[in-house]
């Protein structure tokens, strides 16, 4: 675990081999959950990512958006799964990503991990 690894990320979790990373960020905002989702999708598309899926769902009684992006970095296929929640005025964004083959192989683990998050 690394705290504040860059100016926008609050926590970064990852496995020892670097196969799967999980940055977590949160901040206060007046934007609605839907607006946050739209802005995130626009930013990722502008950065060259392909939006594979975008679903509104509920996890632990908390509404969220789950978006999946794919893109290429230095010739490597990358996949990122992003969950955006909003509790009161705070936005929480939990992402899982790295090499597409490792993310695909970790899908069950990702689902188990995200099911443990409770917004307080």
């Amino acid at each position: 675990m690394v705290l504040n690894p860059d100016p926008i990320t609050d926590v970064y979790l990852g496995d020892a081999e670097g196969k799967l990373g999980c940055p977590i960020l949160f901040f206060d905002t007046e934007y609605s959950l839907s607006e946050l989702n739209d802005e995130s999708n626009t930013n990722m598309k502008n950065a060259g990512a392909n939006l594979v899926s975008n679903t509104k769902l509920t996890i632990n009684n908390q509404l969220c958006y789950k978006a999946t992006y794919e893109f290429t970095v230095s010739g490597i296929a990358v996949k990122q799964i992003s969950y955006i929640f909003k509790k009161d005025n705070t936005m929480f964004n939990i992402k899982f990503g790295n090499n597409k083959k490792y993310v695909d192989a970790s899908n069950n683990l990702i689902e188990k991990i995200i099911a443990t998050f409770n917004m307080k």
Side-chain angles (χ1 to χ4, degrees):
M1 177 174 76
V2 179
L3 298 175
N4 303 308
D6 61 51
I8 64 167
T9 305
D10 296 292
V11 177
Y12 179 84
L13 306 171
D15 65 339
E17 293 84 30
K19 293 180 180 177
L20 184 65
C22 177
I24 302 170
L25 59 118
F26 56 92
F27 56 85
D28 289 339
T29 181
E30 295 297 321
Y31 286 120
S32 69
L33 179 60
S34 177
E35 290 170 323
L36 290 165
N37 180 63
D38 291 344
E39 184 173 333
S40 178
N41 289 337
T42 298
N43 290 342
M44 289 298 289
K45 287 178 187 176
N46 288 342
N50 178 37
L51 177 62
V52 176
S53 66
N54 189 45
T55 308
K56 189 176 186 179
L57 59 127
T58 302
I59 297 174
N60 290 328
N61 297 316
Q62 183 68 41
L63 189 62
C64 77
Y65 281 93
K66 175 185 178 184
T68 302
Y69 309 99
E70 293 183 359
F71 49 98
T72 304
V73 176
S74 301
I76 298 171
V78 175
K79 184 173 187 176
Q80 183 181 85
I81 302 171
S82 172
Y83 295 86
I84 298 177
F85 299 85
K86 185 167 185 207
K87 176 83 173 189
D88 300 324
N89 284 337
T90 304
M91 185 278 307
F92 298 87
N93 188 204
I94 304 160
K95 301 176 186 178
F96 298 88
N98 208 335
N99 185 306
K100 183 181 181 315
K101 69 180 180 180
Y102 297 129
V103 174
D104 287 342
S106 301
N107 194 57
N108 288 338
L109 176 61
I110 291 168
E111 294 293 324
K112 287 179 184 177
I113 292 170
I114 200 65
T116 68
F117 280 86
N118 287 304
M119 304 302 118
K120 300 215 178 200

